[in-house]
Amino acid sequence: AQTVTQSQPEMSVQEAETVTLSCTYDTSENNYYLFWYKQPPSRQMILVIRQEAYKQQNATENRFSVNFQKAAKSFSLKISDSQLGDTAMYFCAFVSLGTGGTSYGKLTFGQGTILTVHP
Amino acid sequence: DTAVSQTPKYLVTQMGNDKSIKCEQNLGHDTMYWYKQDSKKFLKIMFSYNNKELIINETVPNRFSPKSPDKAHLNLHINSLELGDSAVYFCASSHEGLAGLETQYFGPGTRLLVL
């Protein structure tokens, strides 16, 4: 079974600074995707960034980038130039790929990290 | 314009009642999901349907019954509601690409409160 661990229950950062959120996962699979989702107080789950395990290059989306270390099973999220609107709970998530099986499409989430951006 | 929509957004009801939550997606995806987020914000999958067929059924009480009338809709019916069913329920959908199921997009959630 896959597990996802976020060891930082809460983080805070000053506006315009950089912050890194940690995530580790455990799996015996070789083909999978990793995600970071953001959940602001509005409750909506918003996709931040996606990383395919077969890609060595780290994914980036504007101010958001990841540090994907496949051997170490680590997937951290870096937010640059933090903005007040980045205040939210951030979830790391894992999904195994393939063509079937009971884990097919099952998105496994970490416990979440509450990020607060201070003015 | 909403890609994945859920109704209602809020549901307050008494213990023992039966209620339904509806989900619709207009993304053309072929797979839909239900997730439960508990009071500690932990998210866990409950069910998944692919082209109207059940493919994931986690350990969920059989008071919970998903129904998929077509691949754009996945509804969740809950019988005999209990206090512990209070949570936020999220619907999601994804497309089945060449590599398997891809990114899941979530609805706005339905906050259920059982009194």
Side-chain angles (χ1 to χ4, degrees), chain A residues 95-108:
Chain A
V95 69
S96 170
L97 299 180
T99 56
T102 58
S103 65
Y104 187 48
K106 178 181 172 181
L107 197 57
T108 301

Side-chain angles (χ1 to χ4, degrees), chain B residues 6 21 23 33-35 45-47 74-76 89-91:
Chain B
Q6 293 178 230
I21 306 172
C23 178
Y33 312 81
W34 278 109
Y35 288 86
I45 192 164
M46 299 172 70
F47 302 103
L74 180 62
N75 304 323
L76 183 65
Y89 293 85
F90 285 96
C91 178

Side-chain angles (χ1 to χ4, degrees), chain B residues 33-50:
Chain B
Y33 312 81
W34 278 109
Y35 288 86
K36 179 180 180 180
Q37 186 174 40
D38 63 23
S39 58
K40 294 183 180 176
K41 303 287 190 182
F42 186 66
L43 275 149
K44 188 170 183 201
I45 192 164
M46 299 172 70
F47 302 103
S48 168
Y49 269 73
N50 177 263

Side-chain angles (χ1 to χ4, degrees), chain B:
Chain B
D1 284 330
T2 305
V4 183
S5 60
Q6 293 178 230
T7 53
K9 287 192 176 168
Y10 299 94
L11 187 52
V12 181
T13 188
Q14 299 288 328
M15 253 189 345
N17 284 350
D18 303 338
K19 290 293 178 187
S20 291
I21 306 172
K22 295 186 177 182
C23 178
E24 177 181 3
Q25 54 93 5
N26 62 7
L27 296 166
H29 289 166
D30 38 35
T31 305
M32 296 183 72
Y33 312 81
W34 278 109
Y35 288 86
K36 179 180 180 180
Q37 186 174 40
D38 63 23
S39 58
K40 294 183 180 176
K41 303 287 190 182
F42 186 66
L43 275 149
K44 188 170 183 201
I45 192 164
M46 299 172 70
F47 302 103
S48 168
Y49 269 73
N50 177 263
N51 282 316
K52 302 195 298 173
E53 287 194 27
L54 183 67
I55 57 171
I56 293 176
N57 184 357
E58 290 291 285
T59 308
V60 175
N62 57 15
R63 298 181 295 103
F64 290 78
S65 53
K67 286 189 173 49
S68 182
D70 55 61
K71 67 178 194 176
H73 296 84
L74 180 62
N75 304 323
L76 183 65
H77 188 76
I78 316 170
N79 289 328
S80 303
L81 277 155
E82 300 178 357
L83 295 176
D85 298 333
S86 295
V88 179
Y89 293 85
F90 285 96
C91 178
S93 73
S94 69
H95 172 65
E96 186 171 6
L98 293 175
L101 291 172
E102 299 186 355
T103 301
Q104 293 180 29
Y105 294 91
F106 284 76
T110 295
R111 183 178 292 278
L112 171 65
L113 178 60
V114 182
L115 302 174

